[in-house]
Amino acid sequence: MPAAGTADLVIVANRLPVDRVTLADGSPGWRTSPGGLVTAIEPVLRANDGVWVGWPGGTEQDLQPFEFDGLSLVPMTMSAEEVKDFYEGFSNGTLWPLYHDVVAKPEFHREWWDAYVGVNQRFAEKAAELASEGATVWVHDYQLQLVPQILRSLRPDLRIGFYLHIPFPPAELFQQLPWRRQILEGLLGADLVGFQMNGGAQNFVRLVRQRVGHKTHRDLVYLPDGRTVKAAAFPISIDAKGFEELARSEQVEKRAETIRDALGSPRKVFLGVDRLDYTKGIYARLRAFSELIIDGHFDVEDAVFVQVATPSREQVEQYRILRDEIDRLVGHINGDLGRIGRPAISYLHSSYPREEMAALYRAADIMVVTPYRDGMNLVAKEYVATRYEDDGALVLSEFAGAADELRQAWLVNPYDINGMKTALLEAYAADERERGRRMKAMRKTVLQHDVAAWADAFLLELAAARGAHGKTVRPAKRS
Ligand code: ADQ
């Protein structure tokens, strides 16, 4: 564990890349949490004597920095009140819906905001304490948008990057936020602000010009103190080769066969894999599928829909309501359309290891990814990576970041149930050549632009950040 002031790279994210578990002997231990971010960042972290600052989940208080699997991890504690106000409240009750097209109504509460400021302050102070002179600090995601500015004021010597994993909304929505200006100024503490899509970067620059009054030119913001901030898109990706290798393994191939057998060997398996979240469009997609059976396009002997929906953020009311709604819909559809041993929808709440995810992708003929809004959507890319025989079909929402790159998917508007029905049916009926043509092109994209390329691109751009632009720029206007 590097001593204070010695880390040349500090990753600051809401979550640590490990989860708390109880070991066989009953003592508390850690387990790597599955996720692409750690795969991407691990090699850079190792190469740079880096540390990762984040919350391990829960409210345990006396946690010390520790090494896990060769990574230096610095756990941040959170009180029960902070979990409620900062995490469930401002992060997931205000920012998450606001940044996802207001699919659910964001709530604005002053005590949530106060908790957000407090937690961001603590994370920034910890990063300031650990970073060496002139170090690079990479801050992640919507929970920590004030960290760059606080950190900059504590440690002007640092090179600070920020990456937003979710969409950055258009001005028309963002300006509802009572603390819009503070958030924009928080992000402007970074030298480089990264987004999933060009649209997000443009929304940000426009808002900075309109709401903070700074001079901007294309993707650059000129600050009165002489600094320049760049806003650019870095579409995130997955460990594509790793997923493909997994998919090619005998164990996964066998497991995929077992899954198909267990489903009653229908001709076609449709698959959805999502966190149980209202942005993911699960309800409308299951309705579209069930209507295709009702309309007589296929039967439960021909096709089954496997929907994996991992419960998340269960303390937030909107998530509990959604879970009830989908439970009821699935019960309804299976009650009306299923036969003994043949449900129309196979609905699962479990969380699986990577091997099982790969087997599910291998077992699926048609992957259905229909969020109302999604920063990227890694599931779509993971499916593509596992289809090494250039087969399988992807039905993908136009409103997922992934749609920018995966143009050869069957693209749909997730609000248009009839349009989704048409796309599902086309993907179901497409011949081998058509599926192969589309998948081949998508695989090329995903294998070329993997998560390592993403991390390298961001860090290279950050290293090249212009910093001081040498001009004194006066604010044009303030709101
Ligand atoms: P998420 O909203 O969580 O991520 P997504 O990009 O699809 O959405 O990533 C989910 C990840 O969890 C995938 O790697 C998937 O394999 C895994 N996963 C899902 N269900 C699982 C299960 N039951 N068991 C095991 N693993 C499961 C946020 C943004 C996205 C953005 C990512 C990364 O909302 O838009 O793509 O961050 O930036």
Side-chain angles (χ1 to χ4, degrees):
M1 173 60 50
T6 62
D8 292 339
L9 175 65
V10 182
I11 303 294
V12 188
N14 179 51
R15 286 302 300 262
L16 278 181
V18 291
D19 292 322
R20 204 70 166 129
V21 286
T22 307
L23 301 174
D25 65 0
S27 65
W30 301 99
R31 182 188 54 202
T32 315
S33 49
L37 196 56
V38 65
T39 326
I41 289 173
E42 204 181 304
V44 226
L45 212 51
R46 287 185 208 281
N48 291 283
D49 240 348
V51 295
W52 184 314
V53 177
W55 175 47
T59 52
E60 216 175 318
Q61 291 302 311
D62 53 348
L63 295 165
Q64 296 304 318
F66 61 100
E67 296 267 334
F68 184 82
D69 206 7
L71 296 178
S72 300
L73 306 179
V74 179
M76 299 295 291
T77 55
M78 201 106 38
S79 68
E81 196 145 59
E82 283 171 337
V83 173
K84 190 164 86 33
D85 292 343
F86 157 78
Y87 177 68
E88 289 156 7
F90 201 77
S91 297
N92 290 319
T94 305
L95 293 172
W96 179 268
L98 182 70
Y99 282 30
H100 286 89
D101 280 3
V102 195
V103 172
K105 196 169 163 44
E107 287 184 41
F108 303 120
H109 298 296
R110 285 166 286 186
E111 62 280 15
W112 288 3
W113 166 253
D114 293 342
Y116 187 79
V117 175
V119 171
N120 274 253
Q121 177 78 34
R122 273 199 296 120
F123 273 67
E125 283 168 4
K126 183 53 77 178
E129 175 195 320
L130 294 165
S132 66
E133 179 71 27
T136 293
V137 180
W138 190 359
V139 184
H140 288 264
D141 229 0
Y142 62 103
Q143 302 92 348
L144 299 175
Q145 293 172 100
L146 304 179
V147 168
Q149 184 192 32
I150 303 169
L151 189 54
R152 170 81 49 205
S153 70
L154 296 170
R155 290 287 306 272
D157 60 298
L158 299 177
R159 202 177 274 278
I160 304 172
F162 180 91
Y163 187 77
L164 185 69
H165 290 257
I166 66 174
F168 192 83
E172 290 70 16
L173 298 179
F174 186 82
Q175 53 211 12
Q176 289 180 12
L177 187 68
W179 308 278
R180 57 200 182 190
R181 183 171 180 138
Q182 288 95 317
I183 294 279
L184 295 170
E185 286 178 340
L187 292 170
L188 287 170
D191 299 296
L192 175 64
V193 187
F195 300 87
Q196 300 275 22
M197 319 261 296
N198 277 325
Q202 285 159 7
N203 289 344
F204 172 69
V205 171
R206 179 175 161 220
L207 271 157
V208 165
R209 193 169 55 243
Q210 288 177 341
R211 290 282 154 203
V212 193
H214 291 326
K215 189 167 181 259
T216 68
H217 179 63
R218 294 175 192 264
D219 55 1
L220 294 178
V221 179
Y222 299 101
L223 301 187
D225 68 2
R227 282 195 312 117
T228 308
V229 179
K230 181 165 180 166
F234 298 86
I236 201 167
S237 193
I238 57 160
D239 173 17
K241 280 192 206 80
F243 258 97
E244 170 161 347
E245 268 165 36
L246 208 55
R248 283 179 185 274
S249 74
E250 211 185 305
Q251 175 206 354
V252 165
E253 209 54 50
K254 278 216 175 96
R255 177 67 193 144
E257 270 171 41
T258 312
I259 291 172
R260 287 192 74 103
D261 288 348
L263 292 167
S265 306
R267 280 205 301 129
K268 301 276 176 174
V269 174
F270 290 75
L271 175 66
V273 176
D274 311 81
R275 262 187 319 96
L276 194 36
D277 195 295
Y278 50 77
T279 59
K280 302 287 184 183
I282 301 170
Y283 191 96
R285 136 189 356 151
L286 295 180
R287 265 196 59 191
F289 173 77
S290 70
E291 286 186 19
L292 289 174
I293 300 179
I294 296 167
D295 298 347
H297 292 289
F298 46 71
D299 192 59
V300 288
E301 306 286 335
D302 300 324
V304 64
F305 201 117
V306 179
Q307 176 64 57
V308 179
T310 333
S312 76
R313 305 175 191 168
E314 289 187 278
Q315 301 314 312
V316 182
E317 197 196 351
Q318 275 152 335
Y319 286 77
R320 285 200 298 264
I321 295 173
L322 174 80
R323 184 172 172 164
D324 286 350
E325 278 174 0
I326 296 180
D327 281 357
R328 248 180 286 135
L329 178 70
V330 171
H332 223 87
I333 294 174
N334 282 341
D336 288 349
L337 304 174
R339 287 192 213 123
I340 289 177
R342 292 275 183 181
I345 296 167
S346 178
Y347 184 50
L348 308 156
H349 283 313
S350 317
S351 193
Y352 299 111
R354 250 161 65 99
E355 291 75 15
E356 183 73 0
M357 296 294 288
L360 278 163
Y361 293 142
R362 289 296 299 160
D365 300 289
I366 301 133
M367 183 80 218
V368 191
V369 181
T370 55
Y372 293 122
R373 181 60 70 193
D374 216 329
M376 176 54 61
N377 197 293
L378 299 180
V379 165
K381 292 188 170 181
E382 287 167 3
Y383 177 71
V384 168
T386 63
R387 308 307 299 193
Y388 59 85
E389 286 166 321
D390 291 339
D391 64 351
L394 175 65
V395 175
L396 178 63
S397 164
E398 292 167 20
F399 308 136
D404 251 28
E405 293 167 89
L406 305 179
R407 304 304 302 168
Q408 297 81 8
W410 274 269
L411 293 174
V412 295
N413 169 358
Y415 293 95
D416 172 10
I417 298 217
N418 283 347
M420 275 202 289
K421 285 169 71 178
T422 306
L424 290 176
L425 208 52
E426 276 180 24
Y428 174 85
D431 63 26
E432 204 184 316
R433 240 183 102 225
E434 177 66 6
R435 290 197 310 262
R437 182 185 68 76
R438 289 174 183 249
M439 189 55 76
K440 196 171 177 173
M442 291 194 287
R443 283 179 46 73
K444 196 169 161 209
T445 308
V446 170
L447 282 159
Q448 254 172 18
H449 302 280
D450 67 359
V451 73
W454 166 80
D456 288 353
F458 185 90
L459 288 168
L460 261 175
E461 188 72 54
L462 181 56
R466 286 205 231 164
H469 58 76
K471 287 188 261 175
T472 308
V473 187
R474 240 179 278 271
K477 146 187 136 233
R478 290 180 177 260
S479 64

